[in-house]
């Protein structure tokens, strides 16, 4: 089985290619069927390809993502046979020995398989043969959907080119150069001279395809994840039962987590209904945890959404973002802040799970010259106490920064950029006794329309103190321009 | 009035920091009324000459601005940065030595300095301490230390409009007073005007490798780091009296100016008791006697005397001695060389053997006194081309002779070009990779004027989208910015005193190579001496030809051989220097050159300059007598009517050469000498500044004012602009024409020799070996394939064959060498030749005796080089693969080896003729067995395609089809989107023209096809035949079929492109 190289989904007419860096040169890594039809090929230089097909759409090749997708497909295939082996980058082997009868025979199984793949929109080619080698050869070079009769693969692969044997590309090229263009010709050659010239590996590949030697495939076994499962004799459906089993299955997993010194940031309980439908419910923690009671409490409000239908016969739980956590501090002489942390975390978790995850946060510095953008939101509880980068003490910012600057009037200031002597804010006149500034901040030109960008678009900020000792953060918008009265704003208050 | 000198300005030679050219800063400072400006780039003096040159220009315009030479020293040991200005020539020398020290101990492009290094070179330096962002106790300690150890220290204070500026300045003033380092106002300039802030931010992003959205506090908070007027500076520092005035004081103490570096030529060794000019005299007259064996004619004698007088007066004798010495040494080593350049137009150079151009020859009229004016005061310019394979020897000789401390390669400033600019700006603005790639791909070629909207639209992007527009606008600004320094191909600067006391020297990327921080324009501007040691492939090929012919020098070639001109007039010029390109070939039958000077014009006319200036067609019409030769003249009251005739007579009234353009500027547009010189310089530096436009107005107005036709004036200037990017003066054209004649003569006289020499000098030239071999065969040369029993590494001549030369003398057979086999190594070739000489005569014997590895033997087998042993390709490969992997072991145990040969016989399938040819192409890029197209002739005939050779005999405007392998694709910038294709079949080549609309409609086919049938209309002009394409049939996949066996081929899903050869694409 081999998914094809087509990855175009939305626009069929547009040639598309994935691009990678090969020793400093940008080359195509894979091309869509459309692009292949325009004679682009993997390995071609991008500049050459674009010279030929200027409207070629490209995207960066992501081999890791491809591998992930392939392994997901491998996992999916387990429904057909437990023995699945990935054949990177774009193929997989399925050992159907002994399982085909479950589907009513090889032909029926293949049809079912093809149907399901097609339903998922995956281009593919698949064949069945006695040996992985023959199946590979037929899938890559033979007719799609071929089912080789038992012990009949030799005849079927004989007309295929030697490259179909999964040979080392150099050897395959040289074999073809000798005029040996079909596997059949190779089969007829005396074995010793062939091995002498092209190595035992070449003979092995031939023998593997023909079933003369066995080929060991590495079947994928999913790594033991952090999962637990409870099955019931009688389907359950009462809400309190759901809550109970959720707690039980959580406890089962948490016990294991505790035993192995791990904690998780995310738990997902899945209720499997008798009709085959699965209903997942997930909760998140701000710190890795394994306190079953605490986790179960977080699940409780969410169970209302679970519709048990005709009943639930299995419940599973999986933990994610698992990482080691030290043993729990419970002693009286534990350090105080640890206790605070302990006390804070459940509160934050309860708030977050009730109000929504994005509602509980902590303010952190963001690198920006624009005052209102220099504050960001971070998770309420962070492993790292606070980021090293903090606000610059040389550029003081008010304790209270207004969301919107408020206009001020009656400003008296010497041009072009002396601090104001007085200003009126919310109806009250303030006389400035001390002032510092201006701190000139330019606009973020890249966010403006090009025509609107101007070096005159600045804010001149002043820190001023009035006669009462109140401190304000004022700014004048725009560079001094004698033709226009200056506009002044109050943007924040210091203590 | 306030006086102020900006002492802290970073130019764009502080790479990815400064956002203005040095010239812009000087210009801006002058416009604001500053007294002086100091360009201080980081640990570098790379930009100071450009600033200084701009100062010269401002001064010519009446300004008194000074461009101060200094630099900013950044230390790696935590010492605060210093702005350093040498006060005199000696201090300057110490500064350049310091920078050399720092650069030599670091990687290319970096400079590692410590405080103690500076102390060793501190004498005479004026130093300004640059305070760090945070004024902590460490800085105070550093300042105390620095001011304690240096006599002249100031504290540079800038107002950047930070929140606590005044507090900071007050603190700085306190520190300044406490430590005896008076505070001086600077503005820490990064660009000349605030409008450059966006570009500076983008540069910051490029430097930091982030996008503008991520850059945050790494960007400057505002646009205040531009040049500010003295009044503004006075206002900003009003609370700190004296700070602004102090800048002028410091500037006043700087007594050094780059003009002090002039004319520090190395003294050449001369025989005892003689001066340099006396020695040059002796050499020149000695050479004159050699050049004029019948006695030096009176006119020549006078010219030599005049030139020597001028050389003495301008103090250039050492320069001529230097060039003479290098050329003499190369001659002694048997290295072919040839000089060119303005000073090379001298009879002295001719006599010294530097050039082979006799400038007194009638009609050439190139007396060099016209080009070296006494007033211009610039050094003479001589470039010397050497055989490309042996240039390295010459370079080593220069190092040996002058020592590394007096000779170094000049830099080439690598500038941002459109592709790179758009790519990096796009990335900095956060555009995705595919969009920037698409934008970059709209730029054809490496030069170009930004990205036209139409091209952007073609890629499916909207040029009006704000992000796209912003990216293209900023990329446009970035164009021409220096990116980094690289070493020049062969320009050497030579100095009298230690070179590192004139300019900093840094490491090149190549080990053991160093180069200076200045490029050749800088060297020119300063009047330093430079010698260009360049490489030219054709000289290598000529040398190889001469060796085979028993000729020592170009001078021995018979002049004005009519057969040579006949050959060239037929465009029979494959392989001939310069005139082998498609454009040249279509010009030759129209030009019908019959004298040497025709070749000079031929070389000069097919250039972007004359083409853009629309000079080509008028010249041809006049030459063919279809148009009256006339000389535009000024209105009678403005001067003699024939003032242009004397300049333009030799080119029939059409200005073709740079010198003519210059003389028109002087004579007709009444440029002063210095204006003409400025024009010439702006042409040379066109790409950096574009100031040529200023002269354009003056030029046209000057001519029109004197009564010239505005259209003519405009055309003249267009041509000058064309020269800007692709200059081609007459002297160069003459030097090149000499090589055109020499190579054409070899080709005419001995096509066998020519073929061997060219093949052995590859890669060079326009054609690939397949075309060179084909051309030789068409000239009657018999060519034999590489063979293990007959070939050496190089191609060689064997016994006389059947072909005859122009004088009925038999041509010899060309045996292709092992070098034709792709991937085969010279060492292996030598081993095989040795084994053969030792008597090895079978595959096994050769394998054993030579000891080459099996891969080498496989390459030979695949290239069909065992044919003379009776082994076919496949049999040979089978046999080679059958040898033990460890041939050396076999060699030591021959008994065992023989045993292993007893194995079952194998019958391998027979290889078909098309397969053989395809394999020939794959392994040697050519086939002597057949042209691939012969296998498709029937198929081509079915489509209606005629053989390419048949096109010449058909009538004009006929509709016809022709097909062949695509050899060359060209899309010249001058041809407005037209694409030229060259097709080849077994009968000849077809020149195809694809007009823009046809190209756009068939772009994929035109750009991608390797086997193409073109349907179109014939266009004939004399002997020039073009096929103007209308439709195409792409047969490329058919080439892949050549590799198939007869009978049904196995289904192969592979990426075979069907390409036999890779076309040479110029796009």
């Amino acid at each position: 089985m081999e998914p094809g190289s087509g990855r175009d989904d939305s626009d069929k007419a547009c040639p598309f290619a994935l691009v990678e860096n090969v020793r400093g040169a940008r080359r195509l890594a894979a091309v869509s069927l459309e692009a292949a039809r325009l004679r682009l090929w993997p390995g071609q230089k991008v500049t050459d390809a674009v010279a030929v097909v200027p409207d070629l759409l490209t995207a960066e090749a992501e081999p890791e993502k491809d591998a992930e997708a392939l392994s997901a497909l491998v996992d999916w295939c387990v429904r057909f046979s437990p023995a699945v082996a990935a054949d990177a980058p774009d193929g997989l082997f399925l050992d159907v020995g002994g399982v085909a009868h479950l589907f009513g025979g090889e032909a029926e199984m293949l049809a079912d398989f093809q149907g399901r793949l097609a339903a998922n929109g995956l281009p593919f080619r698949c064949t069945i043969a006695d040996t992985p080698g023959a199946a590979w050869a037929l899938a890559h070079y033979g007719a799609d959907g071929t089912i080789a009769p038992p012990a009949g693969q030799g005849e079927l692969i004989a007309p295929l080119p030697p490259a179909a044997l999964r040979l080392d590309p150099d050897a395959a090229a040289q074999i073809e150069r000798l005029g040996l263009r079909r596997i059949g010709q190779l089969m007829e050659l005396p074995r010793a001279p062939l091995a002498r010239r092209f190595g035992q590996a070449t003979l092995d590949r031939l023998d593997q395809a023909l079933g003369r030697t066995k080929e060991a495939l590495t079947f994928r076994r999913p790594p033991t994840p952090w999962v637990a499962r409870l099955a019931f004799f009688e389907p359950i459906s009462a809400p309190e039962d759901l809550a109970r089993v959720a707690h039980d299955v959580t406890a089962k997993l948490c016990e294991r987590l505790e035993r192995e010194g791990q904690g998780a940031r995310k738990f997902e309980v899945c209720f499997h209904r008798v009709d085959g439908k699965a209903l997942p419910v997930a909760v998140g923690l701000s710190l890795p945890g394994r306190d079953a009671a605490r986790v179960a409490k977080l699940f409780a409000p969410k169970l209302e959404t679970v519709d048990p239908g005709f009943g639930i016969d299995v419940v599973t739980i999986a933990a994610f973002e698992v990482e080691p956590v030290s043993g729990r501090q419970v002693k009286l002489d534990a350090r105080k802040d640890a206790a605070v942390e302990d006390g804070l975390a459940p509160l934050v978790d309860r708030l977050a799970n009730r109000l929504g995850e994005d509602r509980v946060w902590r303010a952190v510095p963001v690198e920006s010259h624009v005052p209102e953008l220099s504050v960001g939101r971070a998770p309420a509880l962070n492993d790292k106490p606070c980021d090293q980068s903090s606000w610059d003490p040389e550029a003081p910012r008010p304790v209270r920064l207004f969301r919107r600057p408020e206009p001020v009037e009656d400003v008296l200031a010497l041009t072009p950029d002396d601090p104001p002597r007085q200003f009126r804010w919310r109806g009250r006149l303030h006389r400035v006794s001390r002032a510092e500034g201006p701190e000139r901040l330019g606009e973020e030109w890249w966010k403006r329309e090009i025509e609107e960008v101007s070096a005159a678009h600045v804010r001149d900020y002043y820190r001023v103190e009035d006669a009462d000792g109140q401190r304000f953060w004022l700014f004048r918008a725009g560079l001094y321009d004698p033709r226009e009265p200056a506009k002044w704003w109050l943007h924040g208050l210091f203590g | 009035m306030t006086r102020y000198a900006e002492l802290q300005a970073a130019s764009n030679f502080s790479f990815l920091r400064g956002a203005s050219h040095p010239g812009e800063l000087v210009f801006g400072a002058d416009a604001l009324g500053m007294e002086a400006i100091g360009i201080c780039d980081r640990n570098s003096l790379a930009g100071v000459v450009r600033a200084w040159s701009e100062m010269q220009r401002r001064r010519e315009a009446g300004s008194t601005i000074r461009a101060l030479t200094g630099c900013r020293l950044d230390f790696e040991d935590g010492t605060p940065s210093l702005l350093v200005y040498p006060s005199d020539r000696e201090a300057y020398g110490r500064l350049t030595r310091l920078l050399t020290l720092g650069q030599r101990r670091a990687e290319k492009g970096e400079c590692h300095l410590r405080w103690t290094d500076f102390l060793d070179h501190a004498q005479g330096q004026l130093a300004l301490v640059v305070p760090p962002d945070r004024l902590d106790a460490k800085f105070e300690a550093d300042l105390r230390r620095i001011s304690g150890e240096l006599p002249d220290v100031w504290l540079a204070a800038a107002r950047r409009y930070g929140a606590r500026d005044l507090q900071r300045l007050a603190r700085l003033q306190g520190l300044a007073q406490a430590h005896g380092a008076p505070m001086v106002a600077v503005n820490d300039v990064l660009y000349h005007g605030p409008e450059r802030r966006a570009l500076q931010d983008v540069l910051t992003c490029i430097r930091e490798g982030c996008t503008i959205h991520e850059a945050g506090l790494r960007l400057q908070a505002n646009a205040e780091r531009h040049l500010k007027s003295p009044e503004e500076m006075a206002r900003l520092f009003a609370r700190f009296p004296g700070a602004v005035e102090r800048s002028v004081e410091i500037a006043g103490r700087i007594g050094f100016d780059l003009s002090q570096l002039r004319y520090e030529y190395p003294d050449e060794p001369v025989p005892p008791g003689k001066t340099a000019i006396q020695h040059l005299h002796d050499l020149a007259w000695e050479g004159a006697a050699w050049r004029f064996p019948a006695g030096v004619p009176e006119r020549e004698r006078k010219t030599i005397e005049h030139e020597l007088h001028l050389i003495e007066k301008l103090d250039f004798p050492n320069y001529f001695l230097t060039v003479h010495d290098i050329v003499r040494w190369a001659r002694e080593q048997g290295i072919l060389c040839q000089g060119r350049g303005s000073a090379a137009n001298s009879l002295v150079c001719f006599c010294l053997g530097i050039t082979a151009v006799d400038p007194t020859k009638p009609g050439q009229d190139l007396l060099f006194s016209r080009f070296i004016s006494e007033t211009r005061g610039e050094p003479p310019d001589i470039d010397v081309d050497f055989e490309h394979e042996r240039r390295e020897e010459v370079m080593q000789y220069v190092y040996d002779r002058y020592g590394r401390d007096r000779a170094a390669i000049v830099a080439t400033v690598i500038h941002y070009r459109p592709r790179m600019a758009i790519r990096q700006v796009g990335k900095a603005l956060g555009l995705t990779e595919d969009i920037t790639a698409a934008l970059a791909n709209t730029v054809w070629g490496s030069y170009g004027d930004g990205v036209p909207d139409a091209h952007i639209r073609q890629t499916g992007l909207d040029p009006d989208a704000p992000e796209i527009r912003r990216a293209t606008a900023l990329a446009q600004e970035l164009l021409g910015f220096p990116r980094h320094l690289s070493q020049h191909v062969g320009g050497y600067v030579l100095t009298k005193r230690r070179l590192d006391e004139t300019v900093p020297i840094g490491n090149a990327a190549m080990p053991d190579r160093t180069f200076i921080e200045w490029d050749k324009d800088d060297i020119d501007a300063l009047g330093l001496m430079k010698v260009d040691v360049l490489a030219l492939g054709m000289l290598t090929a000529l040398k190889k030809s001469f060796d085979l012919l028993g000729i020592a020098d170009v001078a021995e070639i018979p002049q004005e051989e009519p057969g040579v001109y006949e050959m060239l007039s037929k465009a029979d010029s494959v392989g001939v220097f310069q005139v082998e390109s498609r454009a040249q070939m279509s010009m030759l039958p129209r030009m019908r050159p019959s004298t040497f000077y025709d070749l000079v014009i031929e070389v000069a006319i097919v250039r972007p300059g004359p083409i853009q200036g629309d000079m080509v067609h008028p010249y041809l019409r006049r030459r063919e007598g279809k148009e009256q030769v006339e000389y535009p003249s000024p209105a009678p009251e403005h001067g003699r009517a024939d003032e242009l005739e004397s300049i333009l007579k030799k080119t029939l009234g059409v200005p073709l050469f740079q010198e003519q353009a210059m003389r028109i500027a002087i004579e007709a547009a009444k440029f002063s000498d210095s204006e003409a010189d400025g024009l010439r310089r702006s042409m040379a530096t066109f790409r950096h500044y574009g100031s040529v436009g200023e002269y354009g107005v003056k030029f046209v107005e000057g001519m029109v004012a004197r009564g010239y036709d505005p259209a003519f004036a405009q055309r003249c200037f267009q041509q000058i602009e064309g020269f800007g990017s692709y200059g081609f003066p007459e002297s160069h054209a003459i030097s090149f024409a000499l090589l055109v004649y020499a190579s054409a003569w070899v080709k005419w006289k001995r096509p066998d020799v020519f073929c061997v020499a060219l093949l052995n000098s590859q890669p060079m030239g326009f054609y690939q070996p397949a075309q060179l071999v084909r051309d030789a065969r068409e000239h009657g040369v018999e060519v034999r394939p590489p063979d293990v029993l007959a070939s050496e590494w190089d191609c060689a001549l064997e016994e006389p064959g059947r072909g005859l030369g122009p004088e009925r003398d038999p041509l010899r057979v060309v045996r292709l060498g092992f070098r034709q086999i792709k991937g085969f190594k010279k060492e292996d070739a030598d081993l095989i030749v040795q084994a053969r000489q030792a008597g090895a005569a079978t595959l096994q014997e050769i394998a054993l005796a030579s000891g080459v590895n099996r891969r080498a033997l496989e390459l030979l087998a695949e290239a069909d080089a065992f044919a003379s042993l009776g082994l076919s390709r496949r049999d040979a490969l089978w046999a080679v693969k059958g040898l033990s992997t460890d041939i050396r072991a076999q060699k030591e145990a021959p008994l065992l080896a023989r045993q292993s040969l007893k194995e079952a016989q194998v019958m391998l399938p027979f290889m078909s003729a098309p397969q053989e040819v395809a394999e020939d192409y794959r392994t040697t890029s050519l086939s002597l067995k057949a042209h691939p197209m012969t296998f498709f002739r029937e198929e081509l005939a079915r489509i209606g395609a005629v053989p390419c050779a048949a096109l010449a005999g058909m009538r004009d405007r006929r509709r016809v089809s022709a097909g062949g392998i695509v050899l060359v694709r060209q899309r010249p910038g001058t041809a407005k989107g037209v694409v030229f294709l060259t097709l080849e079949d077994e009968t000849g080549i077809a020149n195809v023209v694809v007009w823009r609309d046809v190209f756009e409609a068939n772009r994929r086919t035109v750009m991608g096809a390797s086997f193409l049938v073109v349907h179109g209309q014939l266009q004939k002009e004399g002997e020039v035949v073009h096929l103007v394409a209308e439709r195409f049939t792409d047969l490329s996949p058919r080439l892949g079929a050549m590799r198939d066996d007869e009978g049904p081929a196995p289904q192969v899903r592979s990426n075979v492109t069907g390409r036999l050869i890779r076309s040479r694409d110029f796009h």
Side-chain angles (χ1 to χ4, degrees), chain B residues 879-1029:
Chain B
V880 168
K881 297 283 306 183
L883 296 169
S884 163
T885 39
D886 193 353
I887 295 170
R888 245 171 254 282
Q890 266 191 352
K891 198 174 176 178
E892 282 144 26
L895 271 177
L896 214 72
R898 221 160 290 141
Q899 222 168 24
S900 69
L901 292 169
K902 284 184 198 156
E903 60 174 15
Q905 284 300 304
V906 167
M907 280 297 289
L908 295 167
F910 179 73
M911 204 174 204
S912 69
Q915 281 177 332
E916 289 278 1
V917 171
E919 278 294 287
D920 282 343
Y921 269 88
R922 190 183 66 79
T923 53
T924 62
S925 308
L926 59 90
S927 178
L928 300 171
K929 300 186 177 87
H931 192 277
M933 287 301 106
T934 48
F935 305 114
F936 298 100
R937 183 46 59 197
E938 264 179 54
E939 188 168 354
L940 286 168
R942 267 202 305 282
I943 300 174
V946 302
C948 292
L951 296 176
M954 293 178 173
R955 62 177 168 78
D956 190 22
R957 315 201 71 76
R958 187 185 147 165
R959 289 229 127 60
V960 69
S961 303
I965 301 181
V966 180
L967 286 188
V968 186
R969 270 178 261 265
Q970 274 178 292
R971 197 171 128 141
T974 48
K976 302 186 175 67
V978 181
V979 175
F980 298 103
L981 298 178
T982 308
L983 302 184
E984 184 193 61
D985 71 5
E986 74 280 16
T987 65
I989 59 165
N991 291 318
V992 179
V993 178
V994 189
W995 293 110
R996 191 201 191 114
D997 47 342
V998 177
F999 169 68
E1000 291 304 339
N1002 298 280
R1003 184 188 183 104
R1004 231 158 261 167
T1005 309
V1006 175
M1007 295 306 296
S1010 48
F1011 176 14
L1012 193 62
V1013 176
V1014 178
H1015 313 277
Q1017 194 177 34
L1018 219 54
Q1019 200 178 63
K1020 297 182 80 171
E1021 255 184 299
E1023 289 183 46
V1024 184
V1025 182
H1026 288 296
L1027 179 55
V1028 181

Side-chain angles (χ1 to χ4, degrees), chain A residues 83-106:
Chain A
V84 196
D87 179 32
D90 57 1
L92 56 84
F93 290 107
L94 203 57
D95 185 350
V96 299
V99 297
H101 68 275
L102 299 173
F103 297 81
E106 286 180 348

Side-chain angles (χ1 to χ4, degrees), chain A residues 2 4-5 15 19 21 26 31 34 38-48 50-60 125 139-143 159-163 170-171 173-182 185 189-190 192-194 196-198 366-370 374 390-397 415-419 436-455 457-458 460-461 463 473 479, chain B residues 133-134 159-167 194-195 197-199 201-202 212-224 232 235-236 419 423 429 433-434 437 441 444 458-459 465-466 469-470 473-474 854-855 858 862 873-875 877-885 890 897 900-901 903-909 911 915 919 922 999 1003-1005 1007-1009 1034-1037 1043-1053 1055 1057 1059 1062 1067:
Chain A
E2 181 214 350
S5 46
V19 172
N21 280 323
R26 306 271 301 155
V31 298
E34 183 65 31
L38 296 169
R39 295 213 207 106
L40 304 186
W41 75 89
Q44 193 175 23
K45 272 193 190 157
V46 174
T47 44
D48 291 347
V50 172
V52 177
V53 183
D55 55 350
L56 179 70
L57 275 181
T58 57
E60 204 61 32
R125 296 166 60 86
H140 285 79
Y141 292 87
L160 302 182
D170 288 340
Q174 273 193 331
I175 287 173
E176 294 196 28
R177 213 158 279 146
L178 285 169
L180 307 171
R181 325 257 309 178
R182 285 173 251 283
Q185 288 168 302
L189 283 179
L194 191 64
R196 182 179 175 79
R197 284 165 178 81
F198 297 102
V366 171
E367 286 208 0
S368 171
H369 288 295
V370 178
S374 64
S390 59
W391 289 282
D392 180 7
E394 292 302 308
R397 294 290 178 262
T415 54
D417 56 16
D418 270 14
E436 193 173 65
E439 177 184 4
R440 183 164 290 173
L441 299 177
E443 65 181 337
E444 293 191 304
W445 52 267
W446 56 95
K447 293 183 179 165
R448 298 267 173 281
E449 291 290 323
I450 296 176
E451 290 74 18
E452 289 172 11
V453 171
S454 161
H457 291 173
V458 299
D460 275 351
Y461 278 95
R463 216 151 65 102
W473 211 36
L479 284 181
Chain B
D133 285 344
R134 210 150 287 175
R159 263 201 76 174
R160 295 187 188 171
Y161 279 88
R164 292 180 165 164
D165 263 4
L166 293 177
Q167 199 185 45
E195 64 280 2
R197 173 179 173 229
L199 185 62
D201 284 350
V202 165
I212 193 88
H213 308 284
E214 303 157 357
L217 301 179
R218 286 173 281 191
L219 303 178
Q220 299 296 323
N222 53 47
E224 290 304 316
E232 177 71 356
R235 187 182 71 78
L236 291 174
R419 275 169 200 262
R423 195 165 273 153
L429 292 180
E433 173 82 19
D434 54 325
N441 280 325
W444 280 77
Q458 243 176 12
T459 61
R469 223 149 42 94
R470 180 163 275 142
L474 283 166
R854 192 162 70 175
R855 181 71 200 132
E858 284 177 25
E862 291 179 13
R873 261 198 168 95
R874 285 176 177 167
D875 292 339
L877 183 57
W878 183 259
V880 168
K881 297 283 306 183
L883 296 169
S884 163
T885 39
Q890 266 191 352
S900 69
L901 292 169
E903 60 174 15
Q905 284 300 304
V906 167
M907 280 297 289
L908 295 167
M911 204 174 204
Q915 281 177 332
E919 278 294 287
R922 190 183 66 79
F999 169 68
R1003 184 188 183 104
R1004 231 158 261 167
T1005 309
M1007 295 306 296
D1034 183 0
L1035 294 177
S1036 309
R1043 297 202 169 92
D1044 294 341
D1045 290 302
E1046 277 130 55
Q1051 185 212 355
V1052 179
R1053 293 193 309 131
N1055 306 316
T1057 55
R1059 198 161 53 178
R1062 208 183 151 78
H1067 53 75

Side-chain angles (χ1 to χ4, degrees), chain B residues 621-632:
Chain B
R621 281 198 299 274
R622 290 172 183 206
R623 193 177 162 85
E624 289 164 4
K626 289 179 189 163
E627 186 181 298
Q628 191 85 36
V629 178
E630 56 183 32
Y631 303 96

Side-chain angles (χ1 to χ4, degrees), chain B residues 408-456:
Chain B
I409 299 179
V410 302
T412 299
V413 181
I414 307 297
H415 294 94
Y416 272 98
R417 293 184 185 161
R419 275 169 200 262
M420 180 57 78
I422 192 77
R423 195 165 273 153
Q424 297 212 338
V425 169
K427 202 171 154 196
L429 292 180
L431 299 182
T432 56
E433 173 82 19
D434 54 325
I435 292 181
T436 52
L439 283 174
N441 280 325
T442 58
V443 184
W444 280 77
S446 42
Y447 296 101
D449 314 315
V451 186
D453 286 357
H455 287 191
I456 297 173

Side-chain angles (χ1 to χ4, degrees), chain A residues 412-414 417-422 432 435-438 462 464 488, chain B residues 239:
Chain A
L412 219 73
L414 275 184
D417 56 16
D418 270 14
R421 301 266 179 84
Q422 65 164 45
V432 173
E436 193 173 65
Y462 299 86
V464 301
W488 287 83
Chain B
R239 295 193 190 190

